Amino acid sequence: METILLVDDDIRVVSALQRRLYKNYQIEIAGCAAEALEAFAASSYAVVVSDLQMPGMNGIDFLSKVKEISPETVRILLTGQADLQTAIAAVNEGSVFRFHTKPCPEELLTKTLDAALNQHRLIT
């Protein structure tokens, strides 16, 4: 089964998402970009969903690194701080597949994850 990695420095956010999504998806969580990069060293992920504002490394820089080390992983940015410049940087630097704001309705998130998994299958 294809695995999705959720990354957010607020562990309550990714834990809540994991509880909501675990019936339909294989979900793993990470509490920061560094922890997520360690996870990439040990596993492969079909999709990664990252927060934008995280200590140490922001979501755009993190997704750019993911693009380098795992280009087939589909990248999604989920943020509470959305502005046009952030969206442009996410697309241009992190090659994000989708950009959503928090809170993201569950129906929209599941449609996005389904589309991302389909995109991953096309890539691989």
Side-chain angles (χ1 to χ4, degrees):
M1 180 178 252
E2 299 153 314
T3 305
I4 298 167
L5 180 63
L6 306 177
V7 186
D8 196 313
D9 60 306
D10 186 344
I11 203 69
R12 296 170 302 179
V13 171
V14 287
S15 294
L17 286 172
Q18 185 180 39
R19 284 191 303 275
R20 287 185 4 215
L21 299 170
Y22 82 95
K23 290 181 182 175
N24 298 316
Y25 305 99
Q26 176 76 31
I27 303 284
E28 291 184 16
I29 60 174
C32 65
E35 185 181 325
L37 291 172
E38 287 177 19
F40 268 96
S43 294
S44 63
Y45 297 94
V47 178
V48 62
V49 180
S50 177
D51 184 28
L52 175 63
Q53 296 295 332
M54 296 184 290
M57 181 184 298
N58 72 35
I60 294 170
D61 293 339
F62 166 66
L63 292 175
S64 294
K65 286 213 179 287
V66 170
K67 180 182 174 186
E68 289 174 21
I69 62 173
S70 182
E72 69 282 356
T73 299
V74 178
R75 296 162 300 281
I76 298 169
L77 192 63
L78 183 63
T79 182
Q81 278 93 27
D83 60 50
L84 183 59
Q85 288 305 106
T86 301
I88 290 169
V91 170
N92 291 342
E93 295 173 34
S95 299
V96 299
F97 178 71
R98 295 283 192 278
F99 183 101
H100 290 303
T101 56
K102 292 179 193 174
C104 184
E106 189 170 343
E107 182 179 327
L108 176 59
L109 185 57
T110 58
K111 283 183 181 179
T112 298
L113 292 176
D114 290 342
L117 289 168
N118 284 334
Q119 180 69 17
H120 180 260
R121 290 179 196 118
L122 288 172
I123 292 168
T124 57

